[in-house]
Amino acid sequence: MKELVEVIAKALVDNPDAVSVSETENGKETVLELSVDPADMGKVIGKQGRIARAIRSVVKAAASREDKKAVLEIQ
């Protein structure tokens, strides 16, 4: 899932080198932390949070295929 979030985020931002994703697993829950350049934060979040919500939906769908729960935090 880490690679999935990384590919999506790098496609959205102007500075793909500043994108980093860290993954922490706690049993059946996976916490993904996405960090981007402060100038690109708006592109990842989108208007009224629509892009962030869409990314979270994709991550949850990928996690459900593996019988896990995933949480995406954008920093």
Side-chain angles (χ1 to χ4, degrees):
M1 279 186 284
K2 179 179 176 181
E3 294 83 17
L4 174 67
V5 173
E6 195 170 325
V7 168
I8 293 171
K10 284 185 177 183
L12 292 171
V13 298
D14 289 333
N15 188 4
D17 297 331
V19 173
S20 67
V21 180
S22 64
E23 185 174 26
T24 308
E25 292 198 27
N26 302 332
K28 282 195 146 196
E29 183 176 89
T30 303
V31 178
L32 297 160
E33 294 180 1
L34 171 63
S35 298
V36 296
D37 189 78
D40 291 328
M41 188 63 74
K43 293 181 180 185
V44 173
I45 295 173
K47 290 184 180 179
Q48 297 179 353
R50 287 185 182 145
I51 294 175
R53 199 172 315 124
I55 295 170
R56 285 185 176 115
S57 295
V58 171
V59 169
K60 285 182 183 180
S64 70
R65 293 187 72 183
E66 298 175 6
D67 290 330
K68 293 186 177 182
K69 181 180 175 188
V71 177
L72 176 66
E73 296 178 357
I74 300 173
Q75 300 175 353

